Structure formats: C-alpha cells, structure tokens
Amino acid sequence: MSGACPVCGTGVLAGEAFCENCGHDLHSVPPAPCTACGAAAVGADGYCENCGMLQPSGRDHVETEAAGAAAVSDRGLRHSRNEDAMALLSVGSPTESWAGSPAGQGAVVAVVCDGVSSSPRPEEASQAAADVAAAAIVKRLADGDDPEAATREGVRLAADAVASAARPGEDSPACTYVSAVVAGRHVTVGWVGDSRAYWLGAQSALLTEDDATPGTHMLTAWLGADAGEVVPRVRTFTTDGPGAVLLCSDGLWNYYPEPEALAATALAETPLTAARRLVRMAIEAGGHDNITVAVIPFGQGDRTQTTVAFPKERSD
C-alpha cells in the first residue's frame, strides 16, 4: 500500500488510477474536506455524505458597488447557507420624461430577494429573481419606460423565473422581493413579501408594507409557482433633501425595524461602509437569519428639509 483514497479512505497501491472501492479518480484534485466534520465525502450537491452539513459557498458573504451605491449580503450565524440574493446595477442618461432627472443623470437599480427557507432550493429562487428583475428593469428604463412600468415588468419576469424552477414532485422554490429605482428626485419601490425599503433622511420612513399576517412572518404574497397571480405593489415618492434609500431582508429589520436607528448608521458612513456596518449590527444582535442590505445615496448638499410625497398606488 502506498496511500489511501481521499474519498473513502480505502488503501490504494502506487500507480493505481482509480480506487477499487469507490471508483474515485486518484489523479483528480482531492475534494475539499467538510468544514464541520473534516470528512472528504462531500457530494456534488454540496452536502457532506458523512455528517450531512451543507458546505459554505461563495455566497456566504457578498459585496458589490455600482454608481455610488453599495450592497452587502451575509449568511449570518445560524443558517448553513445564504438564501438571500441581491443585484445592483446602473443605467445612464435617462430621459427627463420618465425619470424627472436632469439630462445626463443616470439611475440606480437595486433588488433584494429573500429565499423562503421552508421551500426547496430557496437560494436558487432568490438569485434568479434578483438577477432577472434587475436586468429587466435596466433594459426597460434604457428603452424609455417609466420606473413604475419597468418595475412591474421586472417583477413579472422574476416571478416567471422562480415559477419555472419548480421540479415535478416537489414543492415550489419561493422568495420575497423588493426593488428600488433611484433617479433624479424620484424613488420608485416595488415589493412582494416582507423584504423592506426605507427612506433615510430628515424624515426617515418605512416605504413598504409587509405582505404578511400582522405580527408574524407568515407571508401572504411571494414569488413561486404556488403563489398564484403575483401583483406587486409599486409606489413612487419624491424628495428635495439628501438621504439614502435602504433595501433589506428581514435578517436586518427583525433586529432594527425603526428607520431612525437605521438612519443613524447609514447616513454617517459611505454606502459600502454603512451596508457592512448594518450587516455587522444584525450579526452582533444574534445573526439568526441571512442579512442583506443595499444603500443608495440620494441628493447632494447639506439641506435638512426633506419633502416626501406618496401618490396613490396605480391599479393598472
């Protein structure tokens, strides 16, 4: 004997190409051991075949920036994987007709989705929804659509993407959704579920209303094949003052639901530093869930008066 198979531990002879016990290719790169028990028997699905622990992935902690905005997502302390997802994109030079912004000023699009843990493959649902929605919103804005129409189209395509991920014989993957389009003096938010959007400034406020049974986390709306007809709520507001738009999953607002507490951190730092600090605050408060935060700065100067106006929700 000259060694042991790195997968099953059976003794192997020098020059052997395959393990006679498990068939492992002895010339291949040895698999990384399980982070929990140290066994080398980690399956292609990412689960340890010895202790059953799901192995960490590249999504355990993710950071991204675009056009001055930033987003951070973290697995937290209790979950074995990060089932949240985010997307942050920018689109340049929108026309004044849809954005109400000065010529040449672009828009920032942010999406945060939270996979429903009780559904299969929630991490796939959230990532598909975030990626598809952000790309669709940017495309529709670039084509000249107004932000509300672009948001509705983004949600529609995200819902289709999640629904199409369902496999025969299993429950449907599912996730929540919240997005923001920030351009000029206007912010458009859209949501399905209990991921939230906040305005943080002189008059900080929660911009969304949870699609959940009051006092619980029982969702009344979500993205998924079993969700029925998905009708997003979309709302636009305007502001004259500086501040920030914050999107987050419940991993943050479970600990810090009040906008004033969020503003104290988000407005005192750069967007990336603020997002990192808010994630760290949630982890230090218990980190029971995945945490995702997107911070989009809004406005310039040192004005302290902020005017926020909510139009009636459109029914079309």
Side-chain angles (χ1 to χ4, degrees):
M1 296 291 175
S2 63
C5 172
V7 172
C8 69
T10 299
V12 295
L13 297 173
E16 286 188 318
F18 296 91
C19 172
E20 293 183 356
N21 181 57
C22 71
H24 175 67
D25 182 355
L26 298 174
H27 296 302
S28 65
V29 177
C34 172
T35 57
C37 70
V42 176
D45 59 359
Y47 287 89
C48 175
E49 296 174 357
N50 180 57
C51 70
M53 177 64 69
L54 180 67
Q55 302 304 291
S57 72
R59 283 176 60 178
D60 283 359
H61 185 89
V62 183
E63 299 183 356
T64 187
E65 294 181 277
V72 175
S73 184
D74 193 273
R75 179 171 60 90
L77 300 178
R78 304 291 184 87
H79 281 239
S80 61
R81 62 188 173 192
N82 189 357
E83 297 167 359
D84 285 1
M86 63 189 183
L88 188 62
L89 300 174
S90 62
V91 56
S93 302
T95 62
E96 195 165 338
S97 62
W98 65 258
S101 61
Q105 182 170 327
V108 176
V109 176
V111 181
V112 168
C113 296
D114 181 358
V116 177
S117 295
S118 59
S119 71
R121 296 175 287 115
E123 74 284 1
E124 295 180 19
S126 61
Q127 192 67 67
D131 290 345
V132 168
I137 293 171
V138 165
K139 182 180 185 304
R140 294 298 291 264
L141 292 176
D143 288 344
D145 281 6
D146 68 83
E148 289 201 3
T151 296
R152 294 181 192 279
E153 178 67 2
V155 175
R156 184 186 72 81
L157 293 177
D160 288 347
V162 176
S164 66
R167 296 173 180 171
E170 73 172 15
D171 292 335
S172 170
C175 68
T176 66
Y177 172 98
V178 66
S179 66
V181 178
V182 179
R185 297 175 56 245
H186 301 275
V187 177
T188 296
V189 296
W191 74 97
V192 179
D194 64 356
S195 292
R196 292 182 174 183
Y198 289 86
W199 163 255
L200 306 179
Q203 298 177 16
S204 298
L206 174 63
L207 304 180
T208 54
E209 300 167 357
D210 297 342
D211 290 322
T213 303
T216 75
H217 282 280
M218 295 179 61
L219 296 175
T220 57
W222 61 91
L223 304 186
D226 59 350
E229 182 182 5
V230 175
V231 181
R233 289 196 272 178
V234 180
R235 182 175 288 173
T236 297
F237 71 90
T238 60
T239 177
D240 292 325
V245 176
L246 182 143
L247 304 184
C248 65
S249 62
D250 59 358
L252 175 65
W253 68 254
N254 273 335
Y255 297 110
Y256 297 96
E258 299 303 324
E260 293 78 13
L262 299 171
T265 295
L267 300 180
E269 308 284 355
T270 64
L272 181 57
T273 300
R276 287 171 174 168
R277 186 159 296 182
L278 288 168
V279 167
R280 174 52 53 185
M281 286 166 53
I283 291 174
E284 292 176 349
H288 183 75
D289 204 349
N290 307 143
I291 310 118
T292 300
V293 178
V295 179
I296 309 169
F298 191 104
Q300 302 294 327
D302 58 358
R303 291 173 291 176
T304 58
Q305 294 300 314
T306 301
T307 302
V308 179
F310 293 98
K312 292 182 179 179
E313 293 185 39
R314 297 181 180 178
S315 58
D316 56 347

